[in-house]
Amino acid sequence: YYITLMTITLIYAIAVMGLNITMGYAGQVNLGQAAFLGIGAFTSAILTTRLGLSFWVALPLSALSAFLVGILLGAISIRLRYDFLAMTTIGFNFITVAIFLYYPIFGGSFGIVGIPRPVLFGLKLRGPAYLGLVAAVFVLCVLLNLWLERSWLGMAFETIREDEHAAQAVGVDVRTFKILAFAIGAGMAGLAGSLYAHFKMCVAYSDFMFARSIELLSMCVLGGLGTIYGPVLGSALIILLPEAFRPLRAYRLIMHTAILILLIRFQPQGLLGRGSFLQRKLRELLGGLRFGSQ
């Protein structure tokens, strides 16, 4: 039970870190992250169950498929901002789910079942072994975020987030970097989707509906947009709290909405965001050790 919870938490944390790159670093609204999660999951499911490819081949191809779709969505949305961009990404989520449902290759309403477990040196990875695989991918994604935050790419994203016109004035190619932010975030969600598919061993369109995007957004905002460890904390809280209060599981979407409203009102920077109450307390307790974003 605890291994399952930890595995799901880390898988979602990978997808939320991708969303954080798009929204937290580059400031581009994305309310359709679950669609990219689904693209990665169905890509991996189709490649392994119908084409007979290995999980180790399907995993990077799933991330690549979501990355390419992210480029497409970013290019379509390049001139949109704020409410218009939000509505575009919401529509993208609904369209993607409809494709999963109505095109036979995705298994219709039943989805795809019998997705194989990864095999390493002749052994199927399950339980603690699969958790170890997910943890390894998670660590690589954290390292990518650490590099991104300190690189010229991260600085370009931050400049665009703060002021697109100023970024354009100092020579930043705003169009290219906005598309790249969508693509990187989508690619990480596709990576998480592949891990999700091989963990559940079945996927269906209902796993990636708009409510899932709201759940991922809640995780990102709760932990703190633009931080490295915020998405991890947000993912853990959103997944573990309903388990602690199991009778409230039927009201999960209402809980996520309430969390977003309360955060926007009282702690818009999230739990680990810049200047947040928790960040200040942690710095006081640990002697100014840096947490979250600068």
Side-chain angles (χ1 to χ4, degrees):
Y1 172 72
Y2 293 109
I3 289 172
T4 298
L5 285 180
M6 292 173 65
T7 303
I8 288 293
T9 298
L10 292 181
I11 289 174
Y12 279 156
I14 294 170
V16 175
M17 280 192 284
L19 180 62
N20 185 54
I21 290 174
T22 305
M23 294 189 64
Y25 289 178
Q28 304 305 299
V29 180
N30 180 7
L31 302 184
Q33 186 75 343
F36 296 114
L37 188 71
I39 289 170
F42 273 105
T43 298
S44 197
I46 291 171
L47 290 176
T48 53
T49 61
R50 300 183 180 175
L51 299 182
L53 295 181
S54 165
F55 163 81
W56 306 105
V57 176
L59 181 67
L61 289 180
S62 299
L64 178 61
S65 65
F67 181 88
L68 295 176
V69 176
I71 290 177
L72 178 62
L73 179 63
I76 293 173
S77 309
I78 196 67
R79 296 185 181 277
L80 303 176
R81 298 181 67 186
Y82 308 125
D83 296 346
F84 296 103
L85 182 55
M87 289 187 290
T88 300
T89 54
I90 291 172
F92 168 73
N93 200 153
F94 279 100
I95 291 171
T96 303
V97 169
I99 291 173
F100 292 157
L101 176 60
Y102 293 113
Y103 279 75
I105 191 174
F106 300 106
S109 59
F110 295 102
I112 299 176
V113 299
I115 303 171
R117 291 284 193 185
V119 177
L120 183 63
F121 301 122
L123 298 175
K124 286 187 177 181
L125 301 183
R126 63 183 70 195
Y130 196 83
L131 173 60
L133 169 64
V134 173
V137 177
F138 167 77
V139 169
L140 290 176
C141 291
V142 171
L143 293 176
L144 172 63
N145 275 262
L146 287 169
W147 171 82
L148 185 63
E149 187 181 58
R150 294 164 173 79
S151 68
W152 58 269
L153 183 58
M155 289 189 288
F157 285 161
E158 184 176 354
T159 305
I160 293 172
R161 181 191 67 199
E162 296 300 327
D163 192 324
E164 287 189 20
H165 298 294
Q168 190 79 47
V170 297
V172 175
D173 189 344
V174 173
R175 176 184 176 88
T176 298
F177 284 110
K178 287 174 70 173
I179 293 175
L180 193 57
F182 264 104
I184 295 175
M188 291 182 67
L191 194 66
S194 177
L195 294 170
Y196 178 85
H198 290 272
F199 176 68
K200 285 191 64 180
M201 302 178 69
C202 63
V203 290
Y205 77 97
S206 56
D207 293 328
F208 312 107
M209 298 178 72
F210 179 61
R212 185 73 70 195
S213 289
I214 295 300
E215 187 176 21
L216 296 173
L217 176 65
S218 300
M219 295 173 182
C220 195
V221 174
L222 176 61
L225 285 169
T227 68
I228 293 176
Y229 305 110
V232 182
L233 176 62
S235 301
L237 291 176
I238 291 294
I239 290 174
L240 299 180
L241 284 179
E243 293 297 323
F245 302 98
R246 188 170 284 272
L248 299 177
R249 285 180 65 86
Y251 306 97
R252 174 173 289 193
L253 186 58
I254 296 175
M255 291 172 59
H256 295 163
T257 304
I259 288 172
L260 286 173
I261 293 173
L262 291 173
L263 284 171
I264 291 171
R265 175 62 182 86
F266 298 106
Q267 193 81 107
Q269 62 272 72
L271 296 178
L272 291 179
R274 182 188 307 170
S276 67
F277 173 81
L278 183 57
Q279 185 194 60
R280 293 197 303 271
K281 291 301 180 183
L282 287 172
R283 282 178 170 170
E284 291 175 4
L285 290 174
L286 299 177
L289 182 64
R290 179 179 173 277
F291 280 81
S293 59
Q294 294 180 342

